[in-house]
Amino acid sequence: MALKMVKGSIDRMFDKNLQDLVRGIRNHKEDEAKYISQCIDEIKQELKQDNIAVKANAVCKLTYLQMLGYDISWAAFNIIEVMSASKFTFKRIGYLAASQCFHEGTDVIMLTTNQIRKDLSSPSQYDTGVALTGLSCFVTPDLARDLANDIMTLMSHTKPYIRKKAVLIMYKVFLKYPESLRPAFPRLKEKLEDPDPGVQSAAVNVICELARRNPKNYLSLAPLFFKLMTSSTNNWVLIKIIKLFGALTPLEPRLGKKLIEPLTNLIHSTSAMSLLYECVNTVIAVLISLSSGMPNHSASIQLCVQKLRILIEDSDQNLKYLGLLAMSKILRTHPKSVQAHKDLVLQCLDDKDESIRLRALDLLYGMVSKKNLVEIVKKLMSHVDKAEGTTYRDELLTKIIDICSQCNYQHITNFQWYISVLVELTRLEGTRHGHLIAAQMLDVAIRVKAIRKFAVSQMSALLDSAHLVASSTQRNGICEVLYAAAWICGEFSEHLQEPQQTLEAMLRPKVTTLPGHIQAVYVQNVVKLYASILQQKEQAAEPEAAQDVTQLMVERLPQFVQSADLEVQERASCVLQLVKHIQKLQAKDVPVAEEVSALFAGELNPVAPKAQKKVPVPEGLDLDAWINEPPSDSESEDEKPKAIFHDEEQRHAKQRQPEAEEEELARRREARKQEQANNPFYIKSSPSPQKRYQDMPGVEHIPVVQIDLSVPLKVPGMPVSDQYVKLQEEREHRQRPEKDRRRRKKKDKDKRGKPRRHSSLHTESDEDIAPAQRVDIVTEEMPENALPSDEDDKDPNDPYRALDVDLDRPLADSERLPVQKHRNAETTKSPEKEDVPFVEKKIKKPRKKEKKHREKEREKKEKRKEEKEGEDFDFWLSTAPLPAAAPAPAPGEPGANTVTAAPEGGGEEPRREERGDEDEDGDNERDPEKASKHKKKKPKKKEKEERPKDKKKPKKKQPPGEEAAEPVENGALADEPLPPMSSYCLLAENSYIKMTYDIQGSLQKDSQVTVSIVLDNQSSSFLKGMEFNVLDSLNTRLARPEGSSVHDGVPVPFQLPPGISNEAQFVFTIQSIVMAQKLKGTLSFIAKNDEGSTHEKLDFKLHFSCTSYLVTTPCYSDAFAKLLESGDLSMSSIKVDGISMSFQNLLAKICFHHHFSVVERVDSCASMYSRSIQGHHVCLLVKKGEKSVSVDGKCSDATLLSNLLAEMKATLAEC
Amino acid sequence: MIQAILVFNNHGKPRLVRFYQRFPEEIQQQIVRETFHLVLKRDDNICNFLEGGSLIGGSDYKLIYRHYATLYFVFCVDSSESELGILDLIQVFVETLDKCFENVCELDLIFHMDKVHYILQEVVMGGMVLETNMNEIVAQIEAQNRLEKSEGGLSAAPARAVSAVKNINLPEIPRNINIGKPLLPAPACGA
């Protein structure tokens, strides 16, 4: 044995290592494949040896060969051998090879379960790490199920290195074994607040990845993420969170409102472009989710667009690219703001970078309007000519078509122009989008009736031109347009100027080189043409000419009959027989035209692609029921037993059916006839299409712009679309005087009426351009009562669907991760393998018992927690002011959306402090509940006292249930919910209207506050013409629209129907904020009811308290301590007796009503912080004694402080 | 999620191929080839993002790459990753390589593909970004290298072999990978 070992190591000196292999391959450039196959043979020999080092070396070389494209799955078993080596060096090689070549189909993978489990619980963190890394690449559903519990344990490992890997791999486990998501989620959530930034980042990563697929399940985490966002400095984490918020906001607009401010701050402050970009992106997502039109949001849009413009103008192409990408998102909802930057986008079209040009093209899509479409397309067409490389040219082509056809061609005013553009595009050689152009031609010709005449003339020109036919070799090539051309000319042949010429063009021998499906259409439409020519000739009484045409058909059709394409052959044979028959009839002078054209009578209508699917099942129709009874053989034995129970009923039903059916059928037939008669699109057996066209109202009378069609249209393929640009200009020119007149009128009106309307913005809008032709675009047909469903868009095979589970629901007993059963512990041979499972057993057995207990406890707690969380989330969200557009709920209502500060912050801030302690005591971290909410809210001292107790208990086993059972304030907290609070106070009230108000400052504007006033119509009258006015003081002034005097009121931008309330916002400018102020004011309005309307007014006094100048600002304890030490602050205190409220609620109340945030809380003592809009720091120390509360305050302004404390005293006295 | 990380040289020779989604070897090679042809066409002064199209995954995926001297580093990512973030990550990866190999050049990647993989494993795990702090990454790599050394390593004298390789005068000795200043402020380099 020893000899063998020695021999092995001597042998190894002659083995190639990886470097030798690489060098060898490089030296055998000519016969690389041969050399490698030699090497593989050597490797196979090496793998047969017992020496693990030799095997590892071989596997390492295989990994290299795998990169070169060699399949190494045959060595899977050897790889597993190397993975199970005891040395880290070998193990790492094994896992690397496995991660490169193992997958779900690798059958030996199931042998690895125990090995991986052993490695996961290895005392060496790098063994564990390497196993986790490897597993992350080849985890299968079986491995995920068997190892989920082990990995979950690792999430609480002492080493952050392991923790972060364990957290990340959980995502893969969830994907492969969705049942693990719910049991593991609480711990994953805890990791969001892990003291190690790497672990935290990993947890954010995983949750973001999960939430991206099923965002609604993660909404309740929003407050937590929000806190992370405002506190984290790690840009990676921030980017992920901000991206996540982008996915969450569409589900919860209130969240978006809350996000706008911190995101805007980040946009202003960050220097990292990546972060800035993601912020802009999420702000855009927020703005998309919010109903637009709020004044303060247009500022956000402007900010975004501005920042993006800076990106786009940057010389860094990456930023340019991303800027355009983000711009296209804004475009979807706020096209106006983007359209202002059209110059920039057009400029980017000329960029040398194709990616950027493509992005700019995307943007163009949304920038077109009726006004600039022609111009933009002209520009694109010139790019088409210049573009080298077919990919970009094809992209341009599709873009032109997309731009023009968007929203049912809404931007096209002149379809003749569009057809010309399409015809011009047919000159593109080598494009693969011929079918696109063809589809457009067909679509336009079918749906825009007025254009048919023009379209037909253009199409006949196309059929005449030779170059298209010549290009027939390429699939999907430009020859596809001939398909459309042939069909249009055939279907609308009555519009053809010279049908005979077209007919001849379609029967040319060269046509037979076209693809089969196009030839088939040719054959079919030749007959249509033929029919219409016959008709023409017969009407003109030229039987000779008619016979000539027939002769031509008979002569030329055989070339199609010989076609190799079955479809062409079949159609051609049919048609040929038909024509021969006609020829016979013609010889006998029988008029045939009428009958031949009857073959093609009727009009084809466009039908929506989903129409068939959307037909609702009529009531009473059971699609699963038999129409006729199934054949009797099944009835013999199987059905008899059933019949015992259903016999009578069945018979009864059978008897009645026939009668009902006949009646029903008759009724339905009648109804259908009725419906068909009323449906203009139904194909009726009415007179020939020609006649119908003439009868159609509006087709002949459409005012077609007078252009000299004959000149350009006879020349196929000439750039004719340009002339429409000129035409349009002329038309606009003609329209302008009229428009101006109209505008002037409007302006006069505006001056008299409301000065605040932005009517001037709209004067250049699309509506002013009258279309050149009145086109009635026939919309696609849908069944009459089609169901508006989008269900068909969901993919049932989506792997992320399984992860769509409710995460807030408490865990059930059955929901547990499978714990290892030691079924194959005996089968392992090596001694090292034996002791580890043994150790594990020891640990796990007692754990299992406990687990049940723990699970129950947890369940109870979760329930409570969940209830609370639901409320918490709503409460947390409700801190944003309501948009003026939405009616505000009555103030004081529980959970009303009119609250300003989050009192929740009260319990949460101290957490930061505790982290240091947790680090010291590694073992405690294993306890999953350690970092949970309850503990965090516990005061620091208490925790320290507890610690010795913990240590006496067996390690890692502190059941969390005990914690909950302890009568700490937590229990009280859960039982006694915060009373509903509203910051809106009554302003004034009369029989018509009730006004409540709230004042908010913003840190960005140091001399402005916003007063939100909820106006509640209490009467049965309709209130309108409301005007808000106050008597300004020297210090405080109402911001009035420009140009109005200090005595003018500000109109309220809405009216109030009876019983409706709405919120209006007014901005006040303030010079000094140290004193409270009262302003007298009046709301005047017109109350209108059945009896008539009266002018009414309501006087009020607006109270600007010092509190209203404070803005809730979070502050870290270290910064807070520094502030206090600085000595710049003056001090004052108050004391209030007779308070029965709990300290928690008291703090919440101060936070809420006085805009403070808790910095730190220890027992019944808390430090709080706030900041005024002018930057005064206000620090409070709140202490609760028995039935009394004392507040010591420090502030940079003494007057402000004393006023604030006086106000606070009043609030506290109510408690 | 990161779908794939490809490193190849100016001639399209793969130097590191790491897929986080299973593709058979032929397809992997094909993807490498196609990706190479895509990025080869692009000048160095145009943007570093490419819509991958049908290559991997589909329209949700992007190719984000950087070109250093003789090597292309290409990451294929989906929309959950920040584009600029990934660019920074590539920079972090390359700088880490530079630190671990002391002035990394293509030869290091050629002869030590396994080590490059181990470094990458500390940056990206299973398609998700594991660590972005270079010091942390380097510390973990070094700790593992020490562990390996204490076990005697794979071959008797790996260190010598390395230096021997480096001094061999190969016909096409590549320039050192040029690591200039990061083009963008790396958000999480931790420095």
Side-chain angles (χ1 to χ4, degrees):
Chain A
M1 182 69 187
L3 188 69
K4 211 175 175 185
M5 290 270 278
V6 173
K7 191 172 163 276
S9 59
I10 292 171
D11 277 351
R12 283 188 49 219
M13 287 171 62
F14 303 104
D15 286 344
K16 286 195 189 85
N17 63 11
L18 174 62
Q19 283 75 36
D20 299 325
L21 175 76
V22 174
R23 203 171 303 129
I25 293 175
R26 288 166 71 86
N27 289 336
H28 289 79
K29 288 230 163 80
E30 275 73 49
D31 51 348
E32 193 182 289
K34 196 176 149 208
Y35 179 77
I36 290 178
S37 76
Q38 259 175 31
C39 289
I40 290 180
D41 286 342
E42 283 170 25
I43 290 171
K44 281 183 177 160
Q45 288 306 314
E46 286 165 26
L47 287 176
K48 281 181 188 152
Q49 294 190 31
D50 286 337
N51 190 327
I52 193 73
V54 176
K55 277 187 186 163
N57 185 42
V59 166
C60 185
K61 287 190 281 184
L62 280 179
T63 314
Y64 183 83
L65 294 179
Q66 194 272 342
M67 180 182 77
L68 298 184
Y70 290 85
D71 179 16
I72 59 163
S73 53
W74 52 269
F77 188 77
N78 304 104
I79 291 172
I80 294 180
E81 282 182 303
V82 177
M83 276 161 72
S84 54
S86 55
K87 277 189 179 177
F88 169 74
T89 315
F90 304 144
K91 196 181 280 300
R92 182 155 77 155
I93 292 170
Y95 272 105
L96 174 61
S99 72
Q100 289 290 73
C101 77
F102 281 13
H103 53 92
E104 279 187 27
T106 310
D107 43 7
V108 290
I109 214 166
M110 61 190 190
L111 301 178
T112 58
T113 317
N114 276 321
Q115 180 54 44
I116 294 172
R117 178 174 290 132
K118 199 188 106 192
D119 288 333
L120 290 182
S121 55
S122 158
S124 157
Q125 62 164 328
Y126 292 111
D127 283 355
T128 313
V130 112
L132 283 172
T133 307
L135 188 60
S136 73
C137 294
F138 59 77
V139 61
T140 62
D142 285 342
L143 282 176
R145 190 194 56 232
D146 294 340
L147 296 171
N149 197 45
D150 304 70
I151 297 171
M152 192 157 109
T153 324
L154 290 178
M155 280 165 70
S156 313
H157 198 271
T158 46
K159 295 275 192 333
Y161 177 73
I162 299 302
R163 284 210 301 278
K164 71 182 175 193
K165 289 197 170 194
V167 168
L168 272 193
I169 202 179
M170 276 322 273
Y171 177 65
K172 298 274 172 160
V173 173
F174 295 151
L175 274 185
K176 300 286 177 188
Y177 179 52
E179 289 87 343
S180 62
L181 177 57
R182 280 178 34 78
F185 194 73
R187 194 171 299 190
L188 182 61
K189 200 169 135 188
E190 280 166 34
K191 294 297 141 199
L192 284 176
E193 300 187 87
D194 194 280
D196 183 85
V199 182
Q200 199 186 25
S201 162
V204 169
N205 214 334
V206 170
I207 293 188
C208 288
E209 206 57 53
L210 288 169
R212 202 162 72 92
R213 309 293 181 170
N214 299 299
K216 67 174 192 311
N217 300 336
Y218 300 86
L219 261 182
S220 62
L221 288 183
L224 189 56
F225 276 114
F226 190 81
K227 202 164 72 74
L228 281 178
M229 183 177 82
T230 43
S231 61
S232 178
T233 51
N234 181 343
N235 282 356
W236 281 94
V237 170
L238 281 176
I239 287 175
K240 280 280 171 188
I241 294 177
I242 288 167
K243 266 186 171 282
L244 172 68
F245 275 133
L248 291 183
T249 44
L251 304 171
E252 183 51 270
R254 283 181 292 168
L255 175 63
K257 257 174 260 162
K258 215 176 156 70
L259 286 172
I260 286 270
E261 199 187 307
L263 287 179
T264 330
N265 291 346
L266 267 176
I267 291 178
H268 281 298
S269 64
T270 184
S271 62
M273 278 299 182
S274 43
L275 185 57
L276 170 86
Y277 172 68
E278 295 305 338
C279 285
V280 169
N281 251 335
T282 298
V283 169
I284 294 168
V286 167
L287 293 173
I288 289 171
S289 73
L290 292 179
S291 54
S292 55
M294 282 183 68
N296 42 345
H297 287 165
S298 68
S300 304
I301 285 279
Q302 280 315 313
L303 177 69
C304 288
V305 175
Q306 257 171 37
K307 288 282 174 185
L308 289 180
R309 188 172 174 116
I310 293 174
L311 291 187
I312 296 174
E313 282 173 335
D314 200 289
S315 60
D316 184 342
Q317 297 282 315
N318 292 328
L319 298 184
K320 199 186 274 273
Y321 173 86
L322 292 176
L324 289 169
L325 196 65
M327 204 68 121
S328 65
K329 288 184 195 153
I330 300 187
L331 189 69
R332 265 172 245 154
T333 49
H334 301 81
K336 285 247 160 64
S337 4
V338 182
Q339 273 159 10
H341 301 280
K342 203 179 89 189
D343 57 317
L344 202 59
V345 175
L346 286 177
Q347 203 180 310
C348 288
L349 272 188
D350 298 324
D351 202 284
K352 59 187 180 303
D353 188 342
E354 193 176 298
S355 303
I356 288 182
R357 287 199 305 257
L358 289 176
R359 287 273 76 87
L361 273 181
D362 273 354
L363 270 176
L364 270 186
Y365 178 80
M367 294 192 133
V368 290
S369 61
K370 283 184 181 162
K371 219 181 151 189
N372 59 19
L373 177 73
V374 175
E375 179 200 341
I376 287 182
V377 170
K378 186 182 163 197
K379 178 138 184 158
L380 291 181
M381 295 291 277
S382 74
H383 275 91
V384 172
D385 289 339
K386 278 186 283 178
E388 72 282 321
T390 49
T391 345
Y392 179 60
R393 211 163 55 172
D394 278 359
E395 187 63 31
L396 274 170
L397 190 152
T398 39
K399 238 12 182 240
I400 291 175
I401 289 177
D402 277 357
I403 286 175
C404 293
S405 63
Q406 65 174 312
C407 302
N408 247 336
Y409 308 98
Q410 67 164 354
H411 297 308
I412 296 185
T413 52
N414 186 335
F415 277 91
Q416 296 191 349
W417 164 81
Y418 187 45
I419 294 276
S420 321
V421 168
L422 291 174
V423 170
E424 264 179 64
L425 286 176
T426 61
R427 283 180 302 131
L428 272 185
E429 269 165 39
T431 181
R432 283 182 298 147
H433 291 310
H435 63 286
L436 264 184
I437 305 177
Q440 282 291 297
M441 288 171 168
L442 286 172
D443 200 37
V444 171
I446 295 171
R447 293 171 64 180
V448 187
K449 285 185 184 154
I451 202 66
R452 282 178 191 164
K453 190 171 178 173
F454 179 74
V456 164
S457 64
Q458 290 284 290
M459 294 305 121
S460 64
L462 276 184
L463 287 177
D464 245 349
S465 73
H467 77 276
L468 287 173
V469 182
S471 72
S472 59
T473 46
Q474 203 187 355
R475 228 186 100 74
N476 266 336
I478 200 66
C479 64
E480 289 287 323
V481 297
L482 290 175
Y483 178 101
W487 190 88
I488 292 170
C489 284
E491 182 68 20
F492 308 119
S493 50
E494 68 274 7
H495 296 299
L496 269 177
Q497 299 279 325
E498 295 184 50
Q500 196 139 3
Q501 194 185 335
T502 311
L503 184 72
E504 274 167 38
M506 287 171 79
L507 288 171
R508 273 185 211 139
K510 252 197 146 178
V511 168
T512 49
T513 59
L514 288 170
H517 65 284
I518 299 180
Q519 285 188 54
V521 169
Y522 264 66
V523 173
Q524 191 73 13
N525 285 284
V526 157
V527 197
K528 291 187 199 165
L529 253 179
Y530 170 65
S532 88
I533 293 173
L534 271 189
Q535 182 129 18
Q536 229 173 18
K537 299 292 177 200
E538 275 187 20
Q539 272 168 2
E542 298 172 32
E544 300 279 296
Q547 280 174 8
D548 286 350
V549 178
T550 313
Q551 187 54 37
L552 180 76
M553 293 282 281
V554 174
E555 277 167 18
R556 296 286 176 83
L557 276 173
Q559 62 185 351
F560 294 112
V561 177
Q562 290 156 12
S563 169
D565 192 285
L566 273 183
E567 177 87 17
V568 181
Q569 203 185 68
E570 191 181 0
R571 288 193 193 197
S573 323
C574 272
V575 169
L576 187 59
Q577 289 312 311
L578 178 74
V579 176
K580 280 185 177 161
H581 183 70
I582 293 170
Q583 197 172 29
K584 274 185 209 157
L585 290 175
Q586 275 180 330
K588 292 181 207 158
D589 266 345
V590 181
V592 284
E594 202 65 41
E595 280 171 59
V596 176
S597 22
L599 287 174
F600 306 106
E603 195 182 351
L604 292 174
N605 285 308
V607 175
K610 284 182 188 167
Q612 181 71 44
K613 247 201 263 176
K614 301 260 172 163
V615 178
V617 180
E619 228 176 284
L621 173 64
D622 181 5
L623 288 174
D624 296 328
W626 292 105
I627 295 174
N628 298 311
E629 284 301 311
S632 58
D633 59 11
S634 61
E635 180 180 289
S636 54
E637 281 142 17
D638 296 356
E639 277 201 2
K640 286 222 165 125
K642 278 185 201 162
I644 296 171
F645 300 101
H646 298 288
D647 210 2
E648 276 175 66
E649 281 171 294
Q650 267 179 358
R651 228 177 270 158
H652 195 64
K654 262 183 207 163
Q655 280 170 349
R656 243 182 21 196
Q657 241 168 6
E659 294 165 26
E661 249 167 32
E662 255 166 58
E663 265 179 37
E664 180 70 12
L665 273 177
R667 200 174 56 76
R668 282 191 196 158
R669 212 172 288 141
E670 197 49 48
R672 199 158 52 230
K673 269 186 195 160
Q674 199 78 42
E675 196 188 305
Q676 285 168 10
N678 294 335
N679 188 344
F681 302 126
Y682 200 84
I683 303 169
K684 283 163 242 171
S685 49
S686 55
S688 72
Q690 283 93 333
K691 275 182 198 160
R692 283 191 45 208
Y693 287 146
Q694 281 152 15
D695 295 342
M696 287 291 270
V699 178
E700 298 308 298
H701 319 287
I702 285 171
V704 179
V705 172
Q706 293 180 342
I707 47 172
D708 193 2
L709 287 179
S710 59
V711 181
L713 297 184
K714 290 285 177 184
V715 191
M718 285 294 286
V720 288
S721 61
D722 283 2
Q723 74 181 74
Y724 294 96
V725 183
K726 230 185 280 168
L727 267 172
Q728 175 144 358
E729 277 166 13
E730 274 171 31
R731 199 150 45 81
E732 272 172 38
H733 193 70
R734 258 181 280 138
Q735 284 172 355
R736 194 153 292 154
E738 201 196 329
K739 226 187 342 183
D740 282 348
R741 233 180 298 135
R742 255 188 287 152
R743 201 187 297 165
R744 232 171 286 141
K745 262 190 202 166
K746 230 190 209 169
K747 262 190 189 165
D748 290 350
K749 255 191 213 166
D750 285 343
K751 264 183 201 163
R752 265 180 272 134
K754 294 162 191 166
R756 264 167 40 111
R757 280 287 146 88
H758 310 287
S759 57
S760 57
L761 278 179
H762 295 292
T763 46
E764 292 288 86
S765 71
D766 300 342
E767 291 83 54
D768 290 354
I769 302 175
Q773 301 146 300
R774 279 253 317 283
V775 285
D776 52 338
I777 296 176
V778 182
T779 43
E780 294 166 328
E781 274 185 14
M782 277 289 238
E784 272 179 15
N785 34 0
L787 302 166
S789 70
D790 291 310
E791 278 164 30
D792 25 40
D793 299 336
K794 275 194 181 166
D795 175 16
N797 295 329
D798 183 7
Y800 303 101
R801 245 191 162 179
L803 290 180
D804 187 4
V805 290
D806 183 4
L807 294 166
D808 296 329
R809 191 158 42 88
L811 286 172
D813 259 348
S814 57
E815 283 184 286
R816 241 179 299 160
L817 293 178
V819 183
Q820 179 196 20
K821 295 179 194 84
H822 301 275
R823 48 177 185 266
N824 34 12
E826 304 89 81
T827 58
T828 49
K829 277 174 216 156
S830 68
E832 40 177 24
K833 276 184 186 171
E834 263 173 23
D835 24 271
V836 174
F838 183 64
V839 175
E840 271 182 355
K841 243 186 220 168
K842 263 191 174 172
I843 300 173
K844 280 200 175 150
K845 264 201 174 161
R847 237 200 224 173
K848 257 194 200 167
K849 270 186 203 161
E850 227 164 72
K851 197 150 189 180
K852 266 191 189 165
H853 172 66
R854 189 197 286 187
E855 211 72 52
K856 270 183 197 161
E857 288 290 342
R858 182 182 289 180
E859 200 183 318
K860 271 189 218 157
K861 233 167 59 177
E862 294 271 341
K863 249 181 209 162
R864 242 186 286 149
K865 213 164 153 188
E866 182 215 4
E867 281 163 19
K868 217 178 130 265
E869 258 168 29
E871 285 167 28
D872 280 357
F873 180 58
D874 274 343
F875 189 63
W876 176 79
L877 279 175
S878 62
T879 55
L882 262 195
E893 205 175 281
N897 302 346
T898 47
V899 185
T900 1
E904 240 209 349
E908 305 215 330
E909 284 304 323
R911 224 173 290 176
R912 202 160 287 284
E913 279 295 289
E914 287 175 16
R915 278 187 192 152
D917 298 350
E918 278 177 14
D919 264 347
E920 291 161 25
D921 192 344
D923 281 334
N924 254 4
E925 278 179 24
R926 290 225 162 194
D927 180 352
E929 290 298 311
K930 167 79 187 206
S932 81
K933 269 200 161 171
H934 291 263
K935 189 108 185 194
K936 268 169 244 145
K937 285 187 178 159
K938 224 182 282 174
K940 211 164 148 192
K941 269 188 195 166
K942 199 137 202 170
E943 195 181 312
K944 275 188 181 155
E945 282 167 25
E946 258 176 32
R947 205 158 276 166
K949 256 192 268 165
D950 288 358
K951 288 207 170 149
K952 276 177 220 158
K953 287 175 200 160
K955 276 187 180 178
K956 308 167 197 168
K957 271 189 245 168
Q958 184 194 13
E962 276 179 35
E963 254 190 276
E966 282 177 60
V968 253
E969 313 99 297
N970 303 354
L973 188 98
D975 293 338
E976 187 190 326
L978 289 171
M981 287 188 276
S982 165
S983 57
Y984 280 68
C985 347
L986 185 67
L987 183 58
E989 189 174 15
N990 65 11
S991 58
Y992 288 103
I993 197 164
K994 181 172 159 188
M995 301 167 75
T996 47
Y997 77 110
D998 179 40
I999 305 175
Q1000 293 127 18
S1002 147
L1003 286 179
Q1004 272 89 44
K1005 289 171 185 151
D1006 60 0
S1007 58
Q1008 273 190 11
V1009 288
T1010 308
V1011 178
S1012 313
I1013 299 184
V1014 177
L1015 300 161
D1016 186 5
N1017 186 352
Q1018 298 186 315
S1019 67
S1020 55
S1021 312
F1022 192 89
L1023 304 186
K1024 56 181 191 175
M1026 288 186 278
E1027 236 181 48
F1028 176 88
N1029 201 0
V1030 293
L1031 232 67
D1032 291 355
S1033 73
L1034 278 179
N1035 191 35
T1036 312
R1037 289 164 207 258
L1038 174 63
R1040 294 180 167 84
E1042 264 178 69
S1044 48
S1045 83
V1046 285
H1047 304 296
D1048 289 347
V1050 176
V1052 176
F1054 50 80
Q1055 304 181 336
L1056 284 180
I1060 297 295
S1061 64
N1062 203 342
E1063 190 177 71
Q1065 293 190 325
F1066 303 95
V1067 175
F1068 285 80
T1069 55
I1070 289 153
Q1071 284 176 353
S1072 160
I1073 61 158
V1074 297
M1075 300 271 276
Q1077 281 241 357
K1078 274 188 184 170
L1079 288 189
K1080 272 189 192 171
T1082 317
L1083 180 82
S1084 58
F1085 54 91
I1086 299 167
K1088 190 180 168 193
N1089 55 16
D1090 299 339
E1091 282 110 55
S1093 53
T1094 49
H1095 271 273
E1096 300 287 343
K1097 64 175 194 167
L1098 175 59
D1099 292 326
F1100 55 81
K1101 263 187 195 167
L1102 202 51
H1103 181 72
F1104 289 86
S1105 63
C1106 285
T1107 297
S1108 49
Y1109 305 130
L1110 294 187
V1111 180
T1112 315
T1113 321
C1115 180
Y1116 301 134
S1117 53
D1118 45 346
F1120 188 78
K1122 254 183 216 158
L1123 201 60
L1124 289 181
E1125 282 163 16
S1126 67
D1128 306 336
L1129 311 177
S1130 48
M1131 192 178 151
S1132 174
S1133 10
I1134 51 160
K1135 191 170 179 189
V1136 186
D1137 291 324
I1139 286 181
S1140 52
M1141 198 182 242
S1142 78
F1143 190 52
Q1144 176 71 29
N1145 289 354
L1146 200 79
L1147 288 183
K1149 217 161 171 167
I1150 297 178
C1151 285
F1152 181 75
H1153 287 292
H1154 295 278
H1155 310 175
F1156 276 87
S1157 62
V1158 176
V1159 180
E1160 199 171 353
R1161 182 182 156 194
V1162 180
D1163 281 340
S1164 53
C1165 191
S1167 48
M1168 305 178 91
Y1169 175 81
S1170 184
R1171 210 173 149 185
S1172 80
I1173 54 171
Q1174 296 185 350
H1176 301 103
H1177 302 285
V1178 190
C1179 308
L1180 295 184
L1181 183 65
V1182 186
K1183 279 181 273 188
K1184 185 173 184 334
E1186 291 231 339
K1187 302 248 162 200
S1188 73
V1189 171
S1190 68
V1191 182
D1192 299 315
K1194 280 193 169 186
C1195 174
S1196 27
D1197 188 291
T1199 332
L1200 179 64
L1201 180 62
S1202 63
N1203 284 327
L1204 276 174
L1205 287 180
E1207 284 167 17
M1208 211 171 292
K1209 197 167 181 175
T1211 315
L1212 292 176
E1214 290 167 17
C1215 299
Chain B
M1 290 276 282
I2 299 169
Q3 213 54 242
I5 295 173
L6 311 174
V7 180
F8 43 76
N9 72 358
N10 288 350
H11 305 289
K13 286 248 187 243
R15 295 302 177 217
L16 177 98
V17 176
R18 169 82 270 186
F19 283 89
Y20 294 103
Q21 183 191 341
R22 169 68 192 167
F23 287 106
E25 275 76 11
E26 321 78 270
I27 308 285
Q28 290 189 2
Q29 292 300 310
Q30 196 184 330
I31 291 175
V32 172
R33 269 197 305 277
E34 282 179 23
T35 313
F36 168 66
H37 286 299
L38 278 178
V39 295
L40 185 70
K41 279 189 289 189
R42 300 172 63 86
D43 288 343
D44 271 353
N45 57 353
I46 63 177
C47 83
N48 298 7
F49 311 120
L50 255 175
E51 266 120 291
S54 59
L55 206 57
I56 311 174
S59 62
D60 193 34
Y61 290 89
K62 270 204 188 80
L63 296 177
I64 299 176
Y65 73 97
R66 271 180 187 270
H67 187 200
Y68 296 94
T70 59
L71 291 176
Y72 285 98
F73 288 74
V74 186
F75 281 44
C76 174
V77 302
D78 67 13
S79 62
S80 74
E81 301 292 342
S82 144
E83 289 88 347
L84 293 172
I86 292 295
L87 273 183
D88 287 344
L89 188 72
I90 299 178
Q91 182 77 19
V92 167
F93 179 44
V94 175
E95 280 184 39
T96 312
L97 288 176
D98 194 53
K99 262 200 177 167
C100 293
F101 285 107
E102 289 165 18
N103 274 334
V104 68
C105 65
E106 194 186 339
L107 280 181
D108 292 312
L109 274 77
I110 296 173
F111 286 103
H112 301 284
M113 183 211 66
D114 49 343
K115 297 202 169 52
V116 179
H117 265 295
Y118 300 145
I119 294 169
L120 181 63
Q121 283 177 356
E122 297 302 324
V123 184
V124 178
M125 180 174 141
M128 283 182 286
V129 180
L130 177 68
E131 184 60 67
T132 51
N133 181 336
M134 192 166 57
N135 297 330
E136 171 71 18
I137 299 166
V138 173
Q140 297 299 349
I141 298 283
E142 280 171 357
Q144 291 179 50
N145 287 346
R146 276 195 302 277
L147 181 59
E148 190 175 306
K149 216 174 243 175
S150 73
E151 288 176 349
L154 179 58
S155 51
R160 249 180 298 130
V162 175
S163 57
V165 169
K166 270 203 172 173
N167 295 333
I168 286 176
N169 221 350
L170 283 161
E172 29 145 323
I173 210 156
R175 283 166 289 152
N176 281 348
I177 291 180
N178 170 31
I179 296 178
K181 283 199 86 179
L183 295 174
L184 301 159
C189 277

